[in-house]
């Protein structure tokens, strides 16, 4: 099991390992586990957070956001105030401890659209296409399908070719569902988004049911620590926690920077450990660019500002930030006894009862969300959407000129999707109260319809502002800097309001709770959106896998340009945001990276 691999952080000081993996999160544990399958190599994982193994608040299903704002489990990052969204900072939750964000996310495990993955290859990355992705996604997954009766009754369509059967990460359809998923799907169909049997290929306009990363045999969260559990007992893999990495140690090697190890901090003291072969950064899209900059890899002006001597000039480090944002609309339900939601557990007596039921794999903590709708702007807003789309397409040449070669091809691919009417907006049905600003009323049950923008045109930055490795970098996603992003969200929110007033969903809704009937007209809705937008914590792009002259930080082998033996393996390498939750992609990315490092591909 995972605990057998732990070693006190001070005990690895001055030792040498073949591979040092910086970050024990979603990607890092996959890579470390796969590399250590070769008994002839030694692997060390350095994790900044605690071990947090077998913590019920992590392993339980149905604990949406329970560990947010909990400093033992979550970093609690904040962006800089967002100029185009009310000048407020945004909360960016990230997992702290082994498993990283796979231990605090909302369990969704769905495949991204094939065209989004193929776009990665089109941007100059041979071998990073959907077919290869699917091979490695299947390798990570252990899918338990529903019964034939259940699948037919609740439209739990799935393609066995898209799922793995013997990987470390257990997935299935939610073990308990809200009861309104087919009603929700029928309503989406009445507004032009019909049920889809394959949401992966095609334009994605339609409704479907999502799977989750929960083990149906135990009702527990399945997350990247499963890879450590499989590796338990290996003498060539060690994991040190409470050991944030300060910087990579380099020496010169015939025109390339060669990593000789890393410095890390433990109990206020700085230590170093040597790497014989490679250093692999898996600290996530927020921290990997900071570690590179503190190591002298980045833009000269950034390095000068923090007082770090340049080792490799790489201006794209920390650039190209893209994120998924959402606005949550809340609806009070009629006939609350008919529906399963998590709202009752706010009552202490009900919470105690449900915890006892969960111990026997029963009750509300087995609940998750299932219903998803995705659509293009023109599908969701046939009156305004076409004009907004035409205006954005006309703006593309100016965006390409302003963004230079670093952005030109990205914007061209995004324009292709607009022309092809590909789904870029998403509505997820959640069986609990998650909306703002009006609070829930005791004894009521709620449906939250989460409105998500998946393909942003805005681009942000994340950069170190201090040589202190424990300081938080400046995180500036530039939300809604591109007005098309804001106007798309406005039309999406208006669509969701129409959805709530359309049968058969309207027949089970008592009233709109958030934004609420007092918020009327575009101006008021825009103000609500700017105040209530949140991040889904899918930030990508800060160490983009692109050609070096087009904004790249890593090449298709995930090696940092200008270095001989440093790779980045985490969501920061994704150069163009995908239209899906990102954990499924990160598992496949890390599986493919491990085979690249081992020389299998």
């Amino acid at each position: 099991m995972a605990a057998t691999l732990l070693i006190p952080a001070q005990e690895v000081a001055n030792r040498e390992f073949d591979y040092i993996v910086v970050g024990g999160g979603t990607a890092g544990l996959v890579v470390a586990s796969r590399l250590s399958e070769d008994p002839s190599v030694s692997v060390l994982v350095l994790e900044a957070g605690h071990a947090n193994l077998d913590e019920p608040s992590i392993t339980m299903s149905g604990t949406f956001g329970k560990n947010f704002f909990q400093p033992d489990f979550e970093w609690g990052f904040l962006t800089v105030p967002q100029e185009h969204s009310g000048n407020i900072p945004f909360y960016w939750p990230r997992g702290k401890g082994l498993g990283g964000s796979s231990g605090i996310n909302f369990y969704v495990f769905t495949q991204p659209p094939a065209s989004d993955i193929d776009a990665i290859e089109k941007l100059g990355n041979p071998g990073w296409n959907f077919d290869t992705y699917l091979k490695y996604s299947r390798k990570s997954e252990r899918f338990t399908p529903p019964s034939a009766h259940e699948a037919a009754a609740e439209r739990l369509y799935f393609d066995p070719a898209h799922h793995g059967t013997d990987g470390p990460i257990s997935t299935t359809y939610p073990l308990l569902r809200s009861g309104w998923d087919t009603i929700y799907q029928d309503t989406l169909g009445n507004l032009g988004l019909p049920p889809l049997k394959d949401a992966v290929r095609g334009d994605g306009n339609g409704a479907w049911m999502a799977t989750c990363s929960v083990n149906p045999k135990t009702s527990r969260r399945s997350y990247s620590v499963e890879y450590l559990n499989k590796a338990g007992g290996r003498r060539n893999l060690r994991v040190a926690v409470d050991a944030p990495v300060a910087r990579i140690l380099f020496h010169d090697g015939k025109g390339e920077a060669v990593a000789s190890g890393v410095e890390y901090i433990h109990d206020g003291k700085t230590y170093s450990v040597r790497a014989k072969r490679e250093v692999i950064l898996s600290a996530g899209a927020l921290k990997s660019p900071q570690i590179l900059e503190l190591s002298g890899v980045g833009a000269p002006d950034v390095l000068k500002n923090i007082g770090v001597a340049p080792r490799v000039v790489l201006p794209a480090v920390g650039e190209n930030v893209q994120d998924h944002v959402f606005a949550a609309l809340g609806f009070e339900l009629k006939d609350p006894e008919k529906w399963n939601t998590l709202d009752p557990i706010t009552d202490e007596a009900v919470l105690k009862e449900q915890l006892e039921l969960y111990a026997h794999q029963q009750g509300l903590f087995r609940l998750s969300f299932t219903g998803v709708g995705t659509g293009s702007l023109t599908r969701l807003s046939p009156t305004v959407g076409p004009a907004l789309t035409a205006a954005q397409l006309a703006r593309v040449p100016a965006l390409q000129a302003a963004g230079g070669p670093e952005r030109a091809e990205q914007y061209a691919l995004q324009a292709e999707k607009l022309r092809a009417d590909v789904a870029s907006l998403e509505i997820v049905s959640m069986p609990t109260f998650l909306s703002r600003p009006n609070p829930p009323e005791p004894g009521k049950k709620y449906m939250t319809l989460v409105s998500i923008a998946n393909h942003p045109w805005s681009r942000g930055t994340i950069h170190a502002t201090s040589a202190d490795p424990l300081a938080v970098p400046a995180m500036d996603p530039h939300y809604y800097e591109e007005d098309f992003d804001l106007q798309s969200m406005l039309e999406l929110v208006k669509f969701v309001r129409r959805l709530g007033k359309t049968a058969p969903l309207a027949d089970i809704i008592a009233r709109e709770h958030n934004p609420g009937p007092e918020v009327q007209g575009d101006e008021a809705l825009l103000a609500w959106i700017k105040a209530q937008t949140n991040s889904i914590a899918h930030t990508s792009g800060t160490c983009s896998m692109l050609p070096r002259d087009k904004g790249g930080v890593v090449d298709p082998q995930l090696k940092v340009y200008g270095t001989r033996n440093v790779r980045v393996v985490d969501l920061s390498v994704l150069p163009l945001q995908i239209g899906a939750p990102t954990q499924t992609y990160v598992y496949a990315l890390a599986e493919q990276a491990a085979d690249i490092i081992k020389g299998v591909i």
Side-chain angles (χ1 to χ4, degrees):
M1 299 296 285
T4 64
L5 303 173
L6 295 175
I7 186 172
Q10 66 271 20
E11 291 188 14
V12 301
N14 301 316
R15 289 176 57 180
E16 183 176 75
F17 294 82
D18 289 304
Y19 297 100
I20 298 175
V21 179
V22 179
T26 311
L29 296 188
V30 177
V31 173
S33 172
R34 292 304 188 191
L35 293 179
S36 64
E37 289 174 341
D38 180 352
S40 70
V41 304
S42 57
V43 181
L44 171 67
V45 177
L46 293 172
E47 164 56 35
H50 307 324
N52 291 341
L53 298 175
D54 295 317
E55 287 284 350
S57 64
I58 292 175
T59 60
M60 282 181 65
S61 58
T63 57
F64 299 103
K66 180 177 177 61
N67 285 328
F68 289 5
F69 302 102
Q70 302 298 316
D72 283 339
F73 303 104
E74 191 273 311
W75 289 102
F77 294 124
L78 291 174
T79 71
V80 303
Q82 291 302 284
E83 177 183 354
H84 303 280
S85 192
N87 205 38
I88 59 174
F90 278 64
Y91 170 56
W92 274 8
R94 290 299 188 279
K96 183 179 184 180
L98 293 177
S101 292
S102 72
I104 68 166
N105 66 21
F106 281 21
Y107 312 92
V108 189
F109 198 97
T110 58
Q111 304 291 359
S115 62
D116 284 358
I117 300 300
D118 286 339
I120 300 171
E121 185 171 61
K122 291 178 181 178
L123 288 169
N125 299 298
W128 292 91
N129 52 52
F130 185 75
D131 289 341
T132 305
Y133 159 83
L134 194 56
K135 168 187 172 181
Y136 286 105
S137 179
R138 287 169 55 90
K139 187 176 181 180
S140 73
E141 183 185 18
R142 182 184 297 267
F143 175 61
T144 300
S147 68
H149 171 76
E150 189 180 25
E154 301 199 37
R155 303 173 196 163
L156 305 180
Y157 305 131
F158 65 93
D159 184 344
H162 291 166
H163 294 280
T165 57
D166 57 1
I169 304 301
S170 295
T171 69
T172 190
Y173 284 96
L175 306 177
L176 179 67
R177 294 180 282 278
S178 65
W180 65 67
D181 288 317
T182 55
I183 295 172
Y184 173 67
Q185 194 174 89
D186 286 342
T187 310
L188 287 168
N190 289 340
L191 291 178
L193 297 179
L196 294 177
K197 290 191 174 181
D198 183 359
V200 172
R201 301 187 189 273
D203 63 19
N205 287 287
W208 44 283
M209 306 295 191
T211 50
C212 61
S213 50
V214 172
N215 187 329
K217 295 181 179 179
T218 63
S219 300
R220 287 164 61 102
R221 178 194 295 275
S222 188
Y223 67 124
S224 67
V225 167
E226 309 287 3
Y227 280 84
L228 287 189
N229 290 334
K230 288 193 68 172
R234 290 182 193 161
R235 299 178 62 86
N236 63 329
L237 174 59
R238 289 292 174 261
V239 178
V241 298
D242 300 308
V245 166
R247 64 186 179 116
I248 302 168
L249 300 173
F250 284 111
H251 65 264
D252 292 325
K254 296 181 179 179
E256 294 178 307
V258 180
S260 57
V262 302
E263 280 186 353
Y264 65 96
I265 299 168
H266 180 69
D267 282 345
K269 297 180 181 179
T270 300
Y271 300 90
S272 65
V273 58
R274 300 189 303 279
K276 185 177 181 180
R277 296 191 185 184
E278 294 190 10
V279 171
I280 300 161
L281 272 182
S282 295
L286 312 189
K287 297 294 285 185
S288 285
Q290 180 190 26
I291 292 172
L292 285 176
E293 289 172 342
L294 295 181
S295 308
V297 180
D301 59 333
V302 173
L303 301 181
K304 181 179 179 181
N305 185 53
I306 62 175
V308 172
R311 174 71 69 170
V312 177
V313 174
L314 203 53
V317 171
E319 299 288 312
N320 201 34
V321 169
Q322 300 158 62
D323 196 16
H324 291 155
V325 295
F326 75 93
L329 287 79
F331 298 87
E332 180 189 329
L333 293 164
K334 295 178 182 177
D335 305 316
E337 70 280 359
K338 291 184 178 180
W339 318 114
N340 295 315
T341 80
L342 289 168
D343 301 302
I345 65 172
T346 57
D347 181 281
E348 288 294 329
V350 175
L351 174 60
K352 181 179 179 182
E353 175 191 32
Q354 291 299 323
L355 287 171
E356 291 172 355
L357 286 170
Y358 179 76
H360 297 90
Q361 297 189 51
Q362 299 174 7
L364 291 177
F365 282 109
R366 299 164 74 242
L367 182 65
S368 189
F369 63 85
T370 308
V372 178
T374 48
S376 68
L377 178 59
T378 56
R379 288 284 186 101
L380 302 188
S381 177
T383 55
V384 177
L388 287 174
T389 298
Q392 186 67 8
L393 288 172
R395 179 167 159 67
V396 168
L399 286 171
Q400 291 174 313
E406 295 87 351
R407 301 285 185 271
E409 291 182 15
Q410 293 182 43
Y411 288 137
L413 288 172
Q414 289 186 258
E416 281 183 20
K417 289 182 180 294
L418 283 183
R419 293 190 188 96
D421 207 31
V422 171
S424 62
L425 303 170
E426 181 176 356
I427 313 103
V428 176
S429 165
M430 292 284 292
T432 190
F433 187 91
L434 288 175
S435 61
R436 298 184 306 186
N438 302 314
E441 296 179 21
K444 301 288 181 69
K445 286 186 177 180
Y446 296 89
M447 169 197 302
T448 301
L449 296 182
V450 182
S451 309
I452 307 167
N454 281 331
H455 294 122
W457 288 75
S458 302
R459 297 292 191 271
T461 61
I462 296 176
H463 290 300
T465 58
S466 163
D468 179 2
L470 302 182
V472 176
M475 304 173 182
D476 188 357
H478 292 222
Y479 288 145
Y480 298 138
E481 183 174 66
E482 274 298 305
D483 190 56
F484 181 76
D485 293 342
L486 180 60
Q487 298 303 322
S488 296
M489 181 63 81
L490 172 63
E491 295 307 310
L492 174 57
V493 167
K494 288 157 69 173
F495 174 85
V496 173
R497 292 187 113 175
R498 291 199 304 276
L499 188 67
K501 295 176 181 177
T502 301
L505 193 64
D507 299 332
I508 71 170
I509 289 175
R511 66 187 179 97
E512 179 187 292
H513 195 78
N514 280 308
E518 67 278 6
V519 180
Q520 295 296 330
D522 285 3
E523 185 175 345
L525 267 181
L526 283 169
W528 178 81
I529 288 168
K530 289 179 179 181
Q532 305 304 335
T533 290
N534 289 274
S535 167
I536 299 190
H538 295 163
T539 314
S540 67
T542 51
C543 297
S544 287
M545 178 168 51
L546 290 167
R548 189 171 187 173
D549 62 351
K550 294 180 180 179
V553 175
V554 300
D555 65 17
Q557 286 70 49
L558 303 171
K559 193 170 290 185
V560 176
Y561 289 113
T563 75
R564 182 179 299 174
N565 60 340
V566 177
R567 298 187 207 251
V568 181
V569 183
D570 57 35
L571 192 57
S572 70
V573 306
L574 178 64
L576 191 60
Q577 188 59 274
I578 56 175
T582 52
Q583 80 155 331
T584 316
Y585 171 76
V586 172
Y587 282 123
L589 161 74
E591 288 277 15
Q592 185 169 347
D595 271 1
I596 289 172
I597 296 167
K598 291 192 289 186
V600 174
I601 57 174

